[in-house]
Amino acid sequence: MKASDVRCVALSGGIGGAKLAVGLSKVLAPGELLVVANTGDDFEHLGLNVCPDIDTLTYTLAGINDPETGWGRAGETWNFMAALEAIGGETWFRLGDGDLALHVERTRRLASGESLEAITADVARQLGVEHRIVPMSDDRVRTIVETADGDLAFQEYFVRQGCGPRVSGFRFDGAVAARPSPALLDALARPALEAVVICPSNPFISIDPIVALPALREALGACHAPVVAISPIVGGAALKGPTAKIMGELGLPVTAAAVAGHYGALLDGFLVDATDVTDASNEPAIEVAPAHVVMDSLEDRVRLAAEALDFARRLARQTAPVKRRGRLI
Ligand code: FO1
């Protein structure tokens, strides 16, 4: 793939973002889409490098993800977990046998000096994924959840404690020094780019770690293509996961408008459910448009992907880039 061919950059977390990535992969040719995975959730577990959002995107785009959980592989076996449990090992984070192979192989290749970006591309290709997935950075970034019980590593909060502790904030250790993926920076600078799509992932734990990279924020500010987000909140409820709980604990109303306010100057456009349009239009600098943001079927994913791209093209036609970028960051 030539970087000059990329027409859409999609910023994504795991499960919700992967659904839209599938839709985008159906309306864009392999060289036209660059999916950027959050790596703030990555951690070292049982001596292995685990990258949940990269893997969820890879398995979903390969069509081999577990449709029940959204993470891991379909038809997985759990012999390793059972054997680990029998000898008193840690089993709070469940690694299926097939999934385990990926963590072992990635850990070996990282230790031998290969980059996360190269390993991610290779594994995706081996699993039959034609579209490109890149980690936001090869450098280590770790999401830390600040809670009433103290600071927690992300998976400790998310999986081990089931998002139970009350959140007071997040920080992204390593983000300031992290260099964004060169393929991503290149795509953002190319004239062929038509849209940067922020998937309907959790803004606080999936998208914020990505845009916390200073060089990436700067590149988004300089990028000529419109940045459009899809609301993860519909009618006062989160599409998935702990987004609503987190917003409440941070003192934010659980509304699409609060998400728009949170992204602020990063956005040119915001796609929301029809019921949320009036509410979300309170952000004067952001164009708001209605869309079917709930993705139950493949058809929904494809339709939303096409709507996001059309919206970005419409914004590019109606608003001068200078005006859009003049108010950024
Ligand atoms: N999520 C869980 O809730 N429980 C698990 O045991 C678990 C294991 C797991 C293994 C591999 C992987 O790639 C993802 C896994 N996830 C699990 C999902 C993951 O922790 C979260 O969904 C993301 O980090 C949030 O995007």
Side-chain angles (χ1 to χ4, degrees):
M1 182 199 69
K2 293 202 303 287
S4 55
D5 294 336
V6 175
R7 289 166 61 196
C8 173
V9 164
L11 309 184
S12 177
I15 303 165
K19 288 184 182 177
L20 186 69
V22 167
L24 289 165
S25 76
K26 302 291 179 196
V27 296
L28 292 165
E32 295 176 340
L33 174 65
L34 187 70
V35 181
V36 181
N38 166 41
T39 58
D41 295 12
D42 295 8
F43 74 136
E44 293 73 40
H45 185 58
L46 306 175
L48 302 171
N49 293 92
V50 181
C51 305
D53 289 354
I54 291 177
D55 295 349
T56 297
L57 283 163
T58 303
Y59 293 150
T60 307
L61 283 168
I64 59 169
N65 62 304
D66 184 331
E68 300 282 309
T69 55
W71 53 266
R73 301 175 63 137
E76 187 61 280
T77 56
W78 300 92
N79 295 308
F80 167 72
M81 275 287 114
L84 187 63
E85 188 166 17
I87 55 170
E90 279 196 19
T91 55
W92 60 270
F93 194 84
R94 297 182 54 72
L95 299 176
D97 298 334
D99 190 33
L100 180 66
L102 171 49
H103 308 306
V104 170
E105 178 63 357
R106 175 167 45 222
T107 304
R108 181 192 70 76
R109 291 176 67 167
L110 283 170
S112 78
E114 286 187 67
S115 72
L116 183 59
E117 183 161 323
I119 300 164
T120 300
D122 197 36
V123 168
R125 190 179 51 76
Q126 300 273 359
L127 292 175
V129 178
E130 291 186 300
H131 294 76
R132 191 151 169 212
I133 304 163
V134 291
M136 66 194 199
S137 175
D138 279 336
D139 298 325
R140 181 191 162 98
V141 178
R142 293 291 179 267
T143 298
I144 304 295
V145 189
E146 298 166 347
T147 79
D149 305 345
D151 290 352
L152 295 174
F154 181 78
Q155 298 296 347
E156 176 73 30
Y157 162 79
F158 195 88
V159 174
R160 197 173 201 171
Q161 302 207 30
C163 305
R166 191 180 171 81
V167 169
S168 55
F170 298 92
R171 61 170 201 274
F172 310 108
D173 284 0
V176 169
R179 295 155 298 179
S181 150
L184 166 60
L185 290 182
D186 193 42
L188 290 175
R190 297 278 180 163
L193 189 72
E194 294 180 316
V196 177
V197 175
I198 298 183
C199 292
S201 302
N202 186 312
F204 306 90
I205 58 182
S206 299
I207 303 300
D208 281 1
I210 305 178
V211 298
L213 273 55
L216 176 53
R217 240 193 133 83
E218 199 178 309
L220 286 171
C223 173
H224 70 280
V227 179
V228 300
I230 291 139
S231 178
I233 299 288
V234 173
L239 286 177
K240 234 210 124 281
T243 312
K245 178 175 184 285
I246 289 171
M247 290 180 82
E249 289 168 358
L250 294 176
L252 295 168
V254 183
T255 60
V259 174
H262 177 73
Y263 283 136
L266 194 60
L267 295 192
D268 296 301
F270 194 41
L271 282 181
V272 300
D273 187 74
T275 54
D276 295 319
V277 170
T278 325
D279 176 41
S281 299
N282 290 339
E283 284 296 319
I286 301 171
E287 286 284 330
V288 175
H292 298 92
V293 299
V294 179
M295 292 179 282
D296 290 329
S297 64
L298 176 61
E299 200 183 33
D300 292 339
R301 295 167 197 195
V302 174
R303 185 182 50 203
L304 184 56
E307 283 177 346
L309 293 173
D310 285 349
F311 184 38
R313 290 179 190 126
R314 210 162 63 233
L315 288 176
R317 280 197 301 272
Q318 80 187 33
T319 322
V322 166
K323 186 178 160 213
R324 281 194 274 109
R325 295 302 152 205
R327 61 173 172 69
L328 207 87
I329 306 173

